[in-house]
């Protein structure tokens, strides 16, 4: 099992709203330009202002589709991701893996409101633009893309277009534009509810049967106010593994008020996840009590970053229990050795009379690996 720090970059709509001036001319104080466009009604700038000097006046509203009594405003500008991408570049320079979440969502509730009432043609163009824009700015930088989030729980695009393969086509397009990231589905309750797990497996198998470039299955892993049952989790992982794809737990959090009990629960969950041969990665949904969905899941607390009991347990598993440290003495007659190690990234340091003469990094993942090291003094090391 590899274990690297993964930084979770959220491209969700919510984060757009947290920033300022993502929409140009938000108060309509400047003349309207191409940034504002009405769908299903007309707009004009008006001096009948709520505050400031101008407002947007909407007239002639009509229904776009039966049962929907509203027009919507089409925001033509994409949010400015230049700061986010500068941050991604910095993280990557520091050798960190950046996983991208998420390009689209399976249900309307989590899509930007302005797309929900679009005509099919407009919607398709908007989808294509978003896809092209996001994959262009992230090209070559993301290790994974959660292409469609929670598709088991909603197939909104399929319904809009009357096309059961709409999401499959999105996967194909992303793969063509950027072959690097692993393209993932990502869903919740898939290691908790049998009917969801079955549906997810079936969805994955359908994708694969149709030759869709699906590279792995994301299991969100929210354990909220439940006592984790490792045996049950193992059964679900076995079921998910039947797709034959790598599994990633993508949003792990365990909610439990008491940090000591939380520590036990994190350990139970992490041990069973880490033990599974199909498990390729585990990403925490958060770890700092100042920036988590629920403080009962935190591993690190306060502005002085105090590691709590749960944090100590998790770090100990990763840094100690699942790390491999070996010292070997070499001689002229013995220049190689074998060892067993946990999956992960390693460094071999060759010392001669206590002085470092060579440092060689290598990775071990899921198969026997041979590392040959030649040093000036003719002492070779063979690790397997
Ligand atoms: C108008 O009011 C909104 C909300 O109260 C405020 O955010 C905005 O800055 C105001 N604009 C002007 C031009 O006063
Ligand atoms: C959406 O647009 C793409 C790219 O232009 C096109 O290939 C596809 O057929 C369109 N799909 C629908 C359902 O209109
Ligand atoms: C792609 O992104 C780069 C910045 O990373 C930008 O300079 C370029 O204009 C973009 N191209 C398109 C077609 O959006
Ligand atoms: C290996 O040697 C280093 C330096 O001599 C020492 O700090 C470390 O504890 C040793 N590790 C093990 C597993 O013996
Ligand atoms: C490492 O050395 C072994 C034994 O000499 C050899 O069989 C193997 O091909 C070498 N591997 C690499 C990657 O150089």
């Amino acid at each position: 099992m590899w274990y690297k720090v993964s930084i979770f970059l959220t491209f969700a709509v919510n984060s757009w709203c947290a920033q300022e001036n993502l929409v140009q001319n938000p108060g309509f104080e400047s003349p309207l330009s191409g940034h504002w466009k009405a769908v299903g009604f007309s707009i004009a700038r008006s001096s009948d202002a709520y505050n400031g000097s101008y407002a947007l006046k909407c007239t002639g509203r009509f229904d776009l589709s039966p049962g929907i009594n509203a027009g919507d405003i089409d925001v033509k500008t994409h949010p400015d991701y230049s700061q986010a991408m500068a941050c991604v570049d910095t993280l990557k320079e520091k050798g960190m893996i950046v996983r991208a979440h998420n390009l689209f969502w399976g249900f309307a509730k989590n899509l930007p409101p302005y797309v929900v009432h679009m005509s099919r043609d407009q919607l398709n163009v908007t989808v294509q633009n978003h896809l092209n824009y996001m994959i262009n700015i992230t090209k070559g930088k993301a290790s994974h893309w959660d292409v469609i989030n929670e598709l088991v729980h909603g197939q909104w695009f399929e319904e809009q277009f009357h096309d059961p393969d709409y999401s499959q086509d999105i996967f194909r397009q992303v793969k063509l534009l950027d072959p690097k990231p692993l393209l993932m589905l990502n869903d919740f309750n898939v290691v908790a509810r049998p009917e969801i797990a079955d549906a997810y497996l079936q969805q994955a198998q359908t994708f694969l049967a149709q030759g869709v470039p699906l590279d792995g299955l994301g299991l969100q892993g929210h354990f909220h106010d439940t006592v984790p049952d490792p045996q049950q989790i193992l059964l679900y992982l076995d079921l998910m593994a039947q797709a034959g794809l790598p599994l990633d737990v993508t949003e792990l959090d365990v909610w439990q008020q008491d940090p000591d009990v939380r520590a036990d629960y994190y350990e139970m969950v992490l041990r069973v996840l880490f033990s599974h041969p199909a498990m390729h990665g585990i990403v925490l949904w958060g770890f700092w009590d100042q920036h988590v969905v629920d403080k009962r899941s935190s591993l690190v607390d306060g502005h002085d970053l105090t590691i709590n009991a749960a944090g100590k347990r998790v770090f100990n598993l990763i840094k100690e229990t699942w790390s491999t440290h070996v010292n070997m003495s070499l001689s002229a007659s013995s220049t190689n050795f074998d060892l067993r190690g946990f999956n992960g990234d390693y460094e071999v340091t060759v010392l001669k009379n206590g002085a470092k003469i060579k440092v060689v990094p290598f990775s071990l993942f899921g198969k026997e690996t041979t590392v040959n090291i030649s040093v000036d003094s003719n002492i070779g090391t063979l690790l397997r």
Side-chain angles (χ1 to χ4, degrees), residues 169-335:
D169 290 341
I170 289 178
F171 271 76
R172 291 194 176 96
Q173 290 185 55
V174 174
K175 190 56 113 187
L176 283 177
L177 292 172
D178 187 359
K180 182 168 174 274
L182 299 178
L183 304 190
M184 313 281 291
L185 287 166
N186 187 49
D187 228 303
F188 64 96
N189 275 338
V190 288
V191 290
R193 300 241 317 254
E195 74 284 9
I196 306 288
D198 284 338
Y200 199 37
L201 176 60
Q202 213 180 335
Q203 188 168 71
Q205 288 170 333
T206 304
F207 270 53
L208 294 176
Q210 296 181 359
V212 177
L214 172 65
D215 300 312
L217 291 182
L219 321 174
Q220 293 187 2
H222 298 294
F223 296 90
H224 297 175
D225 299 313
T226 55
V227 184
D229 180 342
Q231 237 165 342
Q232 276 296 323
I233 295 171
L234 194 57
L235 290 174
Y236 281 117
L237 296 179
D238 285 344
L239 184 67
M240 293 295 103
Q242 285 179 24
L245 292 168
L247 306 179
D248 278 1
V249 168
T250 53
E251 307 183 11
L252 177 64
D253 61 352
V254 176
W255 293 8
Q256 190 47 236
Q257 187 69 45
D258 179 342
D260 292 307
V261 180
R262 195 186 312 158
D264 291 344
Y265 287 8
Y266 265 110
E267 177 164 359
M268 286 158 76
V269 171
L270 281 169
R271 278 188 182 275
V272 65
L273 297 180
F274 189 70
S275 75
H276 201 279
M279 187 59 54
H280 276 227
I282 302 171
V283 183
L284 296 174
W285 191 229
F287 61 90
W288 187 28
D289 75 333
Q290 305 298 307
H291 198 78
V292 280
V293 173
D294 191 293
K295 289 186 194 304
R296 286 171 295 168
S297 66
S298 81
L299 304 177
V300 175
D301 297 328
H303 288 281
D304 57 352
L305 303 174
T306 307
I307 301 176
N308 62 35
K312 282 181 185 146
R313 194 78 66 84
V314 170
F315 293 135
N316 192 60
L317 284 171
I318 298 170
K319 295 291 180 195
E320 300 298 329
T321 311
W322 295 328
S323 287
T324 309
H325 305 275
V326 180
N327 288 340
M328 304 295 282
S329 296
L330 302 176
S331 64
S333 60
S334 156
T335 58

Side-chain angles (χ1 to χ4, degrees), residues 16-256:
W16 304 1
C17 308
Q19 299 166 35
E20 285 179 85
N21 288 336
L22 292 178
V23 175
Q24 297 194 29
N25 192 15
F28 313 109
E29 295 299 309
S30 309
L32 296 180
S33 60
H35 298 306
W36 290 102
K37 182 175 160 245
V39 179
F41 57 100
S42 306
I43 53 173
R45 195 157 157 257
S46 158
S47 59
D48 180 11
Y50 161 71
N51 65 359
S53 308
Y54 291 95
L56 190 72
K57 186 171 185 182
C58 305
T59 51
R61 288 168 72 144
F62 58 89
D63 284 1
L64 275 176
S65 53
I68 298 171
N69 185 22
D72 244 283
I73 291 174
D74 175 12
V75 180
K76 300 302 284 179
T77 50
H78 249 96
D80 181 1
Y81 283 125
S82 54
Q83 268 188 317
M85 292 316 298
C87 175
V88 166
D89 291 340
T90 305
L91 292 170
K92 288 186 66 70
E93 277 160 24
K94 294 184 186 299
M96 292 192 182
I97 294 172
V98 179
R99 190 178 192 286
H101 169 86
N102 58 322
L103 197 54
F104 293 101
W105 219 300
F107 44 85
K109 182 165 78 70
N110 288 345
L111 292 170
Y114 67 88
V115 307
V116 173
H117 302 143
M118 280 179 173
S119 70
R120 272 185 221 161
D121 286 348
Q122 280 178 317
L123 181 63
N124 194 39
V125 169
T126 303
V127 166
Q128 303 296 324
N129 287 347
H130 179 65
L131 189 157
N132 288 330
Y133 181 88
M134 293 309 298
I135 302 306
N136 176 42
I137 64 169
T138 59
K139 192 173 164 70
K141 297 182 177 181
S143 64
H144 304 69
W145 254 113
D146 289 333
V147 179
I148 323 260
N149 209 33
E150 302 173 354
L151 189 61
V152 162
H153 290 84
Q155 292 91 43
W156 187 78
F157 288 104
E158 282 70 16
E159 287 160 12
Q160 299 309 301
F161 291 108
H162 303 289
D163 175 1
D165 297 338
Y166 195 78
S167 293
Q168 280 93 320
D169 290 341
I170 289 178
F171 271 76
R172 291 194 176 96
Q173 290 185 55
V174 174
K175 190 56 113 187
L176 283 177
L177 292 172
D178 187 359
K180 182 168 174 274
L182 299 178
L183 304 190
M184 313 281 291
L185 287 166
N186 187 49
D187 228 303
F188 64 96
N189 275 338
V190 288
V191 290
R193 300 241 317 254
E195 74 284 9
I196 306 288
D198 284 338
Y200 199 37
L201 176 60
Q202 213 180 335
Q203 188 168 71
Q205 288 170 333
T206 304
F207 270 53
L208 294 176
Q210 296 181 359
V212 177
L214 172 65
D215 300 312
L217 291 182
L219 321 174
Q220 293 187 2
H222 298 294
F223 296 90
H224 297 175
D225 299 313
T226 55
V227 184
D229 180 342
Q231 237 165 342
Q232 276 296 323
I233 295 171
L234 194 57
L235 290 174
Y236 281 117
L237 296 179
D238 285 344
L239 184 67
M240 293 295 103
Q242 285 179 24
L245 292 168
L247 306 179
D248 278 1
V249 168
T250 53
E251 307 183 11
L252 177 64
D253 61 352
V254 176
W255 293 8
Q256 190 47 236

